[in-house]
Amino acid sequence: MMSIRQRREIRATEVSEDFPAQEENVKLENKLPSGCTSRRLWKILSLTIGGTIALCIGLLTSVYLATLHENDLWFSNIKEVEREISFRTECGLYYSYYKQMLQAPTLVQGFHGLIYDNKTESMKTINLLQRMNIYQEVFLSILYRVLPIQKYLEPVYFYIYTLFGLQAIYVTALYITSWLLSGTWLSGLLAAFWYVTNRIDTTRVEFTIPLRENWALPFFAIQIAAITYFLRPNLQPLSERLTLLAIFISTFLFSLTWQFNQFMMLMQALVLFTLDSLDMLPAVKATWLYGIQITSLLLVCILQFFNSMILGSLLISFNLSVFIARKLQKNLKTGSFLNRLGKLLLHLFMVLCLTLFLNNIIKKILNLKSDEHIFKFLKAKFGLGATRDFDANLYLCEEAFGLLPFNTFGRLSDTLLFYAYIFVLSITVIVAFVVAFHNLSDSTNQQSVGKMEKGTVDLKPETAYNLIHTILFGFLALSTMRMKYLWTSHMCVFASFGLCSPEIWELLLKSVHLYNPKRICIMRYSVPILILLYLCYKFWPGMMDELSELREFYDPDTVELMNWINSNTPRKAVFAGSMQLLAGVKLCTGRTLTNHPHYEDSSLRERTRAVYQIYAKRAPEEVHALLRSFGTDYVILEDSICYERRHRRGCRLRDLLDIANGHKPSLGTLVTATGAGQGRDDGWPRRE
């Protein structure tokens, strides 16, 4: 992290002229072995205790979340169809492929059914392994069929327990990251406690289990922990190689399990680019990380049968542009302050232009349009022009893609997390500005990263990385509520690290002229312990009440619908309806769909817009012709859409369709809906 460089201590091997060499050697023989031994024993003891606590807190978090899921749904007691319905929207679609693989007569036939699927989109054969990130379902289904556990564990429990097990890994990785940054496992314990007490804002795994982010974020946390260790100076060659392997594996698994991986890693690449440009990071290590990102994405691209959306990602274009710009500007880090600043701005402009140029060229060659809806949404979201585009407006009207609600900060403040985060962030940002200015100014006598002159403020590369990481992901969360889970979990890590960091307290105490080594030790341990006691006192009773509250899944209308479809329609019948409900139809009945919630394909978006014309101002004959063009046999009309009341005017589905079709939206009385778009129904009755 940051440090105030102290005066160089007298080394044990430097002998004073006032003492004979023989007497000094005797002292060394008597004192050094015992001192080194006790230090080594203390380090082993600390690692053992800290590692044990990390594993225990991870497992306890996993059990806690699994218990909440069971208590909320009474999952062990409800029928199979009710269990499947509880996997709402796209969650049900992903789980259906796990179920499909298990029901296949052989693994080969299961793979064939995924590669040549004609039931997810009617009258069309698609490669699901290319279009969707479902390798995790494939792997789990193979594992379940191979392991001798069928008699003891139902498939659905094997699936959900795996996800809750990943949460244990997630919390452990957060714990380790904070420990690596601060130097004490107490920091990791505080980070884990904050993660649990802020559960509403740090995870939603207990009610959206199969969601892609619940698979991906644990690997992302492992990657951050590995990068934090990799950026430490003076690593042994073996440790460095093993860490690079861990970074590569975690990056690959993160990329394989989430379709939005490229956007998250683009933020990471921007972090590396910023730190490299400001001389806060060894250039060779940044190059290794750029290369791992590209290699991981290309490997995922191969596994996904050369998915063009990956090849046309901004991440690959950006990383290639950085390499090209480096070759063109070899003397970027030389010259006076103004000279270097000018070179830096030119470098930034060059990378930006190259990125846009390469990305446009790649997309034109591949004729790629799969991600255009994202850029339309971003353009409209940030006020760069109004749009009549149905897909962009559909995203804009979802609260999950809106700004982060202000009440989030109230909840984070109740646990003292937000206050601690702002405290640590403020200090590290000031230090980062000082270090950046020093690096840009000190051109004549450049020194290696982390090695500054005496009396200057220092920012360790691993701390600088986590600082820029939390800032960029904070902006992402503020702009898009769904992405808050990336920020809030890292917020726990960053705040806990700062409170346990000796450098933070040293800098603070020196600024108020109260510096004393004992005071630093007292502050870095007492403050976290007091916060832990406060969290236990305030939130433990509530957590126990939450665990004792028993509710039950209750959705008789949807259960009746699924039972009716199974009993009264042919197996090859084609159903049209809303994306969210059709995912459940696919899972519970196995019927063919016209459209589904996986929205990352341009032809599917056009198909969905056509199916949704059943709610628009269109002639019955036109709607019938559209539906028949997709082979539709049955249409599911939902009262919740027909009589929809949204949180602001123009956000009803029929209004969005009318705008896209060039019709004047129908007027109606709209009321404010609280909690819309949260993806959870809290209206289930209590269990008696």
Side-chain angles (χ1 to χ4, degrees):
M1 224 294 293
M2 319 170 297
S3 64
I4 306 298
R5 302 291 292 184
Q6 301 297 320
R7 293 180 181 176
R8 184 171 57 89
E9 296 180 359
I10 299 176
R11 297 178 183 176
T13 55
E14 291 179 356
V15 183
S16 173
E17 295 179 358
D18 298 332
F19 296 94
Q22 186 176 1
E23 183 180 348
E24 186 66 26
N25 289 335
V26 171
K27 287 184 178 181
L28 287 174
E29 289 176 2
N30 292 335
K31 293 183 178 180
L32 275 182
S34 60
C36 291
T37 303
S38 61
R39 209 177 299 118
R40 191 181 300 112
L41 288 174
W42 174 252
K43 185 177 181 181
I44 293 173
L45 181 63
S46 178
L47 286 172
T48 303
I49 295 174
T52 303
I53 293 175
L55 294 175
C56 290
I57 200 75
L59 290 172
L60 286 174
T61 304
S62 175
V63 172
Y64 171 63
L65 294 172
T67 305
L68 288 179
H69 175 259
E70 167 64 24
N71 290 355
D72 207 26
L73 303 180
W74 206 2
F75 200 75
S76 60
N77 192 67
I78 57 179
K79 300 175 182 177
E80 184 67 20
V81 64
E82 292 176 312
R83 290 177 179 175
E84 293 178 348
I85 291 172
S86 71
F87 297 140
R88 297 183 181 276
T89 65
E90 59 183 300
C91 298
L93 183 69
Y94 297 131
Y95 183 78
S96 71
Y97 300 123
Y98 170 72
K99 181 180 177 181
Q100 180 178 325
M101 281 292 292
L102 290 177
Q103 291 177 344
T106 64
L107 287 175
V108 174
Q109 288 177 291
F111 270 109
H112 187 273
L114 295 178
I115 296 173
Y116 301 97
D117 178 90
N118 54 16
K119 302 195 74 174
T120 301
E121 295 177 16
S122 58
M123 304 185 72
K124 191 175 182 182
T125 299
I126 61 174
N127 185 343
L128 293 170
L129 294 178
Q130 180 188 49
R131 285 271 295 275
M132 303 183 191
N133 299 71
I134 58 170
Y135 269 102
Q136 48 267 50
E137 277 74 23
V138 173
F139 174 74
L140 273 194
S141 62
I142 295 173
L143 206 58
Y144 185 80
R145 295 177 70 141
V146 171
L147 296 176
I149 57 175
Q150 289 86 351
K151 294 181 180 179
Y152 313 104
L153 195 64
E154 296 177 58
V156 66
Y157 278 107
F158 182 66
Y159 187 90
I160 65 174
Y161 286 166
T162 300
L163 266 299
F164 287 127
L166 281 176
Q167 285 297 301
I169 296 175
Y170 189 16
V171 174
T172 303
L174 297 177
Y175 181 108
I176 292 172
T177 304
S178 188
W179 186 359
L180 288 171
L181 287 170
S182 66
T184 172
W185 54 261
L186 182 63
S187 172
L189 183 61
L190 180 57
F193 264 69
W194 262 330
Y195 179 86
V196 174
T197 53
N198 291 282
R199 175 182 55 82
I200 294 175
D201 296 300
T202 54
T203 183
R204 50 178 175 169
V205 65
E206 75 271 19
F207 57 90
T208 58
I209 295 176
L211 209 60
R212 301 300 84 179
E213 67 190 48
N214 295 329
W215 285 97
L217 291 184
F219 300 119
F220 191 57
I222 294 172
Q223 184 218 41
I224 293 172
I227 290 175
T228 300
Y229 185 76
F230 173 69
L231 295 181
R232 285 184 164 190
N234 304 321
L235 282 182
Q236 295 295 325
L238 179 60
S239 298
E240 189 169 86
R241 286 194 291 269
L242 291 175
T243 307
L244 281 171
L245 179 62
I247 294 172
F248 171 73
I249 293 173
S250 56
T251 304
F252 167 69
L253 292 175
F254 170 68
S255 304
L256 189 66
T257 51
W258 198 13
Q259 67 269 29
F260 293 140
N261 63 77
Q262 52 182 287
F263 302 105
M264 305 306 105
M265 289 201 295
L266 177 62
M267 302 289 281
Q268 274 193 327
L270 291 172
V271 174
L272 298 173
F273 176 75
T274 303
L275 296 177
D276 183 24
S277 300
L278 295 175
D279 239 1
M280 294 183 179
L281 192 71
V284 64
K285 291 193 175 183
T287 303
W288 271 108
L289 295 176
Y290 286 136
I292 285 175
Q293 284 188 336
I294 294 177
T295 306
S296 299
L297 267 190
L298 292 179
L299 185 56
V300 171
C301 181
I302 293 171
L303 287 175
Q304 289 193 287
F305 296 83
F306 298 95
N307 187 325
S308 59
M309 190 173 176
I310 296 176
L311 294 174
S313 67
L314 275 173
L315 175 66
I316 290 181
S317 300
F318 177 80
N319 286 1
L320 291 176
S321 299
V322 171
F323 289 143
I324 295 172
R326 272 185 179 180
K327 292 293 183 182
L328 296 176
Q329 277 187 297
K330 294 183 179 180
N331 298 322
L332 180 65
K333 299 178 181 180
T334 58
S336 63
F337 174 77
L338 292 178
N339 196 321
R340 288 193 64 179
L341 188 61
K343 289 181 180 179
L344 184 60
L345 293 175
L346 178 62
H347 184 65
L348 177 63
F349 180 73
M350 185 184 300
V351 170
L352 178 62
C353 292
L354 278 172
T355 300
L356 296 177
F357 174 75
L358 288 176
N359 195 250
N360 284 328
I361 291 294
I362 293 172
K363 285 184 176 180
K364 284 183 179 180
I365 293 174
L366 299 175
N367 193 26
L368 179 62
K369 298 180 180 179
S370 296
D371 58 352
E372 62 181 5
H373 65 299
I374 297 175
F375 296 104
K376 288 180 181 178
F377 159 69
L378 292 174
K379 181 180 176 182
K381 181 180 178 67
F382 294 110
L384 300 178
T387 180
R388 302 173 67 94
D389 185 75
F390 174 77
D391 304 314
N393 286 328
L394 193 64
Y395 277 109
L396 286 171
C397 284
E398 287 295 326
E399 289 192 9
F401 291 93
L403 300 177
L404 187 68
F406 189 75
N407 59 9
T408 305
F409 302 105
R411 292 192 298 270
L412 296 174
S413 299
D414 287 342
T415 62
L416 304 182
L417 171 60
F418 187 65
Y419 298 129
Y421 177 76
I422 293 299
F423 166 72
V424 176
L425 185 67
S426 301
I427 294 176
T428 48
V429 164
I430 292 172
V431 172
F433 273 113
V434 172
V435 172
F437 181 79
H438 180 276
N439 289 348
L440 291 176
S441 302
D442 188 16
S443 59
T444 57
N445 186 24
Q446 293 188 29
Q447 305 194 26
S448 61
V449 177
K451 293 183 178 180
M452 291 183 160
E453 296 178 0
K454 292 186 291 182
T456 62
V457 180
D458 186 15
L459 192 69
K460 293 180 181 178
E462 61 267 31
T463 304
Y465 168 79
N466 280 275
L467 170 64
I468 309 299
H469 175 100
T470 196
I471 290 174
L472 290 186
F473 280 84
F475 282 122
L476 181 65
L478 291 172
S479 64
T480 308
M481 186 184 73
R482 185 176 178 180
M483 297 302 174
K484 72 176 180 178
Y485 303 102
L486 290 158
W487 183 44
T488 50
S489 59
H490 194 265
M491 185 187 292
C492 300
V493 171
F494 199 76
S496 60
F497 130 74
L499 294 183
C500 296
S501 169
E503 292 88 358
I504 287 279
W505 289 113
E506 180 180 351
L507 189 63
L508 186 65
L509 291 175
K510 282 191 173 182
S511 65
V512 294
H513 306 290
L514 292 174
Y515 171 73
N516 185 293
K518 290 184 179 179
R519 288 197 184 110
I520 292 176
C521 187
I522 292 171
M523 295 301 291
R524 71 180 295 224
Y525 289 114
S526 62
V527 171
I529 289 173
L530 288 174
I531 293 176
L532 285 170
L533 292 174
Y534 166 79
L535 294 176
C536 291
Y537 172 77
K538 183 171 182 179
F539 294 98
W540 183 262
M543 291 172 65
M544 292 300 101
D545 291 341
E546 195 175 29
L547 288 173
S548 63
E549 185 179 5
L550 304 177
R551 298 196 291 177
E552 179 180 356
F553 177 84
Y554 185 73
D555 191 354
D557 294 338
T558 308
V559 171
E560 184 181 0
L561 172 65
M562 300 305 170
N563 289 335
W564 184 90
I565 292 174
N566 276 321
S567 304
N568 298 279
T569 63
R571 292 288 301 174
K572 294 185 178 180
V574 178
F575 279 79
S578 69
M579 295 182 289
Q580 294 81 0
L581 185 58
L582 287 184
V585 171
K586 173 75 168 63
L587 172 57
C588 298
T589 71
R591 300 305 191 264
T592 304
L593 312 179
T594 55
N595 55 305
H596 54 83
H598 195 270
Y599 219 51
E600 277 69 52
D601 182 76
S602 57
S603 62
L604 174 65
R605 293 195 293 271
E606 294 174 4
R607 177 182 284 235
T608 300
R609 187 162 57 250
V611 170
Y612 278 5
Q613 297 303 314
I614 57 180
Y615 297 108
K617 293 178 181 178
R618 299 289 293 269
E621 296 79 11
E622 295 179 11
V623 176
H624 180 267
L626 282 172
L627 294 175
R628 289 306 300 162
S629 67
F630 303 127
T632 307
D633 298 310
Y634 295 89
V635 178
I636 303 175
L637 295 171
E638 300 172 57
D639 287 345
S640 59
I641 295 178
C642 293
Y643 306 114
E644 185 178 19
R645 296 176 181 273
R646 296 302 292 266
H647 51 285
R648 60 179 181 268
R649 185 174 299 279
C651 275
R652 296 175 299 183
L653 180 59
R654 58 185 187 274
D655 292 339
L656 299 180
L657 291 165
D658 289 341
I659 292 172
N661 294 337
H663 300 151
K664 185 178 180 181
S666 58
L667 299 177
T669 305
L670 300 180
V671 296
T672 301
T674 58
Q678 297 298 318
R680 182 173 186 177
D681 179 10
D682 284 327
W684 294 331
R686 295 175 183 272
R687 195 189 315 165
E688 301 297 338

